[in-house]
Amino acid sequence: MTVEKIEAQLTNLEMQLTFQEDTIHSLNKLVTEQTQQMSEMQKQIRWLGKRLKQMQENQSADSDPADEPPPPHY
């Protein structure tokens, strides 16, 4: 191999390495953002579950929907 071919291959490898490093950095950033979003959604789901449980506990088991007054448009 000639020196020119070796230099061309080395340059090509350096460009590929740079591209791969950039891709890895972008993917890492994306994974980090998605992990934060998932954590936030898990907190919201837990809060909604607690809220739903509170609403179900507050609703009387003896209450009959027929006893409720009709909506205003009737």
Side-chain angles (χ1 to χ4, degrees):
M1 290 183 102
T2 64
V3 174
E4 291 83 19
K5 285 184 180 180
I6 293 174
E7 287 178 353
Q9 286 181 340
L10 181 60
T11 301
N12 185 31
L13 289 172
E14 288 174 343
M15 288 174 28
Q16 288 179 9
L17 178 62
T18 301
F19 177 75
Q20 289 176 353
E21 287 175 341
D22 184 54
T23 301
I24 290 170
H25 176 72
S26 297
L27 291 172
N28 185 45
K29 182 178 176 185
L30 181 63
V31 168
T32 302
E33 290 171 359
Q34 289 179 343
T35 301
Q36 291 172 347
Q37 290 173 349
M38 286 175 46
S39 294
E40 184 61 32
M41 284 190 267
Q42 287 173 338
K43 289 177 187 176
Q44 291 174 352
I45 289 171
R46 280 194 295 274
W47 183 85
L48 287 171
K50 289 177 185 177
R51 183 71 175 117
L52 179 61
K53 188 174 181 178
Q54 287 174 349
M55 291 175 68
Q56 289 172 340
E57 289 172 353
N58 289 341
Q59 186 178 21
S60 173
D62 301 328
S63 68
D64 183 9
D67 294 338
E68 294 182 13
H73 62 277
Y74 278 102

